[in-house]
Amino acid sequence: MKLNHLASGLLGLSLLVAGCQTSQQQLLKTDKGQVELRRMQTRAFDTTDREKTLRTIIATLQDLGFVVDKADATLGSVTATKLKGYNLIMTVTVRPRGEKQLLVRSSAQFNIQAVSDPQPYQDFFTSLGKAMFLEAHQVD
Amino acid sequence: MSQKSAPYFTALLSLVILGIGCQATIPKEALKMDGATMEFRKMQARRYDTGDETKVIVACAGLLQDLGFNIDESETKLGLVVGSKTRSAVDGGQVAAKVILALFGGNMAMETDQRLKASIVTRKGGEAGKEYTMVRVTFQRIVRNENNQITRLEPLNDPKQYQEFHSGLSKALFLNANDI
């Protein structure tokens, strides 16, 4: 009898939790606000050479231990994976900002989580800035 | 389990769960260059004495095919070609261990297959008359066991394999590969 109560209690609880959130809702879910996310993931560089920037991004990712999966010069995107007991996937995109600058945005996924801590992005842009011989400007 | 040890067990279990929680965040050094960065670059890259990047990347694709890789992706405008292949990951030692364990009524999941990936990046450099093309290749693999669980996610860092790849490429190009 006691066990029956416990079982129905657990069932009720699991239904309650299931009602709150289904795993399908992960599809469009983000950990941080759009503005905040863009801010930590984006830097501006004083160059308009898209191809050179993309090639430098590829070289920097290789230096950081990534294997490059895809690149598209037209879209301006590079995707790479680092396997080291974990699975870290990074997508970096390039687009123009005004007449004299390019915006570089990177987004990362660590195992099954989005990376929403600013420090790893800062580390990436520090390495990229050195390889570009250019300063990575914070964008507001 | 005795009544006494139950709290310890619970405490240990929560510690284990906490430990898993900690591992789930990105390691601090994941996106930083370190002392090994230059070493890996040297191991993975060679300079070829030609300014014809297209010729080099076509030879790279040919070499991937020679080695049994399928071409997954390429973007010649940026000097990239990516290939992969799935092969057996059965290891003699693991087979022996499984047999011995089975004799004692035990069981272990053996590694059965692996997905091997090669990503090649070319870059043109040098000045007119002394042009060269840099080629950097990187390998990694994902290994699964007989239960289809991932057992390894790792880069392949054996210098011999990189040497072998580049000697294959220099043969394909009829060019000398220079160390950087």
Side-chain angles (χ1 to χ4, degrees), chain A residues 20-130:
Chain A
C20 289
Q21 200 180 26
T22 66
S23 58
Q24 284 183 11
Q25 286 174 344
Q26 286 280 351
L27 180 64
L28 301 176
K29 190 175 166 266
T30 54
D31 299 335
K32 291 243 161 89
Q34 211 172 359
V35 177
E36 197 187 349
L37 209 57
R38 281 189 181 222
R39 198 184 131 84
M40 71 169 81
Q41 293 179 341
T42 311
R43 297 288 186 280
F45 290 90
D46 297 329
T47 174
T48 53
D49 192 339
R50 258 168 63 97
E51 191 189 310
K52 193 179 164 196
T53 304
L54 283 164
R55 282 177 180 266
T56 312
I57 289 165
I58 290 172
T60 304
L61 286 167
Q62 282 194 311
D63 274 344
L64 292 171
F66 283 81
V67 163
V68 182
D69 302 312
K70 289 169 203 278
D72 190 315
T74 315
L75 191 62
S77 79
V78 180
T79 299
T81 303
K82 182 172 182 173
L83 301 180
K84 206 178 173 184
Y86 53 76
N87 188 349
L88 176 60
I89 306 175
M90 204 153 182
T91 293
V92 187
T93 55
V94 174
R95 62 190 172 93
R97 184 202 203 202
E99 303 275 289
K100 291 176 185 158
Q101 280 188 320
L102 285 176
L103 277 182
V104 178
R105 179 174 182 182
S106 61
S107 53
Q109 175 187 311
F110 181 78
N111 290 335
I112 57 165
Q113 283 181 329
V115 175
S116 49
D117 172 19
Q119 193 54 45
Y121 295 111
Q122 181 54 48
D123 292 340
F124 172 72
F125 286 117
T126 303
S127 301
L128 182 63
K130 276 183 202 157

Side-chain angles (χ1 to χ4, degrees), chain B residues 39-49 56 121-123 132-137 158-167 169-170 173 176-180:
Chain B
E39 210 176 294
F40 282 125
R41 195 190 290 177
K42 266 188 169 170
M43 177 175 80
Q44 295 164 343
R46 296 283 187 283
R47 207 181 66 215
Y48 293 85
D49 296 328
V56 174
V121 175
T122 59
R123 183 172 59 83
Y132 61 82
T133 304
M134 290 283 289
V135 178
R136 182 170 183 178
V137 61
D158 180 359
K160 273 187 208 153
Q161 289 180 315
Y162 289 96
Q163 246 161 37
E164 209 173 302
F165 177 89
H166 281 290
S167 76
L169 183 58
S170 54
L173 280 165
N176 286 327
N178 304 300
D179 286 336
I180 56 158

